Amino acid sequence: MQPLPSSFYLRPPDAVASGLLGKLVVREHHGELLAGRLVETEAYFGTNDPAAHAFAGETARNSVLFGPPGRAYVYFIYGMHFCLNASCERAGDGAGVLFRALEPVAGMGTMARLRGLGGAGEISQKTLRLLCSGPGRLCQALAVTRDGCNGLDLTSPRSPLRIVDDGAPAPEIEVTPRIGISKAAELPARYIVRGSPFLSGR
DNA sequence: GAGGAGATCGTCT
DNA sequence: GACGATCTCCTCT
């Protein structure tokens, strides 16, 4: 299974955000394969978007957003959480897509352990929904940290973090306002798979 | 089930 | 020195 090519990310963030729904996030962690299907994303429009990290211009923290498309931008927030983004559009635009929720597909036992939710033996449907239903949660479940993952190439078959298309049919997509931000939150830039039980709360 | 407060620290002013 | 693209736990109903 080949990762999505960098040309996929060479588009405006709203097109990338909706196009990513239904694709697989694949993570190699200590030789084990962890995977989840994207069910919720958010677009951030770079230097023109007051809610985007890139709004104030390039800094040491957000430099990945201003680099080539298809890279992982990981940042630390609220003193305890990480969030995972994909850079998109052209280098210098500062645009990105935030990954908000995944449907767990492989390695659920390890994900549960990383999340501190047990993980030995059977996993209940309730636990399954708690694994990746939020930006901070999915990073914890996939062992994504700024130290380990910031700047990784999501388009390389050899990358320990990549996005692939497994040929699943395109999901039914719905658009809603963005979540968890104070500036320009009313912009309809949150893309979700309609009816998925794995969406983040609100 | 809903609502609110606390946790905790890197980053920018 | 303030705040944030969040989560969990506790309380109240």
Side-chain angles (χ1 to χ4, degrees), chain A residues 107-124 127 130-131:
Chain A
M108 279 84 99
T110 297
M111 289 188 195
R113 189 165 46 74
L114 286 165
R115 292 270 294 115
L117 299 171
E122 294 290 307
I123 298 177
S124 68
T127 299
L130 288 173
L131 289 181

Side-chain angles (χ1 to χ4, degrees), chain A residues 39-40 101-104 125 128-129 132-134 195-200:
Chain A
V39 296
E40 180 174 349
L102 304 176
E103 171 184 349
Q125 285 300 310
L128 208 54
R129 276 191 283 107
C132 300
S133 55
S196 171
F198 299 98
L199 302 176
S200 69

Side-chain angles (χ1 to χ4, degrees), chain A residues 7-176:
Chain A
S7 60
F8 177 90
Y9 301 93
L10 194 57
R11 296 184 290 164
D14 47 349
V16 175
S18 62
L20 280 173
L21 292 181
K23 303 298 187 288
L24 288 183
V25 178
V26 176
R27 166 76 167 140
E28 282 176 40
H29 179 244
H30 295 321
E32 189 180 0
L33 213 60
L34 311 176
R37 194 177 303 282
L38 278 163
V39 296
E40 180 174 349
T41 57
E42 263 176 23
Y44 285 87
F45 298 92
T47 49
N48 294 319
D49 181 356
H53 284 184
F55 184 60
E58 181 172 357
T59 66
R61 175 212 205 185
N62 65 22
S63 65
V64 173
L65 283 177
F66 289 89
R71 301 300 171 90
Y73 168 50
V74 181
Y75 66 90
F76 188 65
I77 191 72
Y78 296 122
M80 51 177 65
H81 298 292
F82 292 102
C83 292
L84 173 62
N85 300 248
S87 65
C88 58
E89 228 165 1
R90 288 166 311 222
D93 288 333
V97 173
L98 170 69
F99 295 180
R100 290 198 54 92
L102 304 176
E103 171 184 349
V105 170
M108 279 84 99
T110 297
M111 289 188 195
R113 189 165 46 74
L114 286 165
R115 292 270 294 115
L117 299 171
E122 294 290 307
I123 298 177
S124 68
Q125 285 300 310
K126 183 172 287 184
T127 299
L128 208 54
R129 276 191 283 107
L130 288 173
L131 289 181
C132 300
S133 55
R137 289 171 174 175
L138 73 89
C139 283
Q140 195 179 17
L142 296 179
V144 168
T145 62
R146 181 168 169 90
D147 278 355
C149 299
N150 193 46
L152 286 180
D153 186 354
L154 299 172
T155 69
S156 165
R158 271 191 269 292
S159 174
L161 183 63
R162 54 192 188 267
I163 316 290
V164 306
D165 184 353
D166 69 341
E172 192 178 349
I173 294 172
E174 200 169 335
V175 187
T176 78

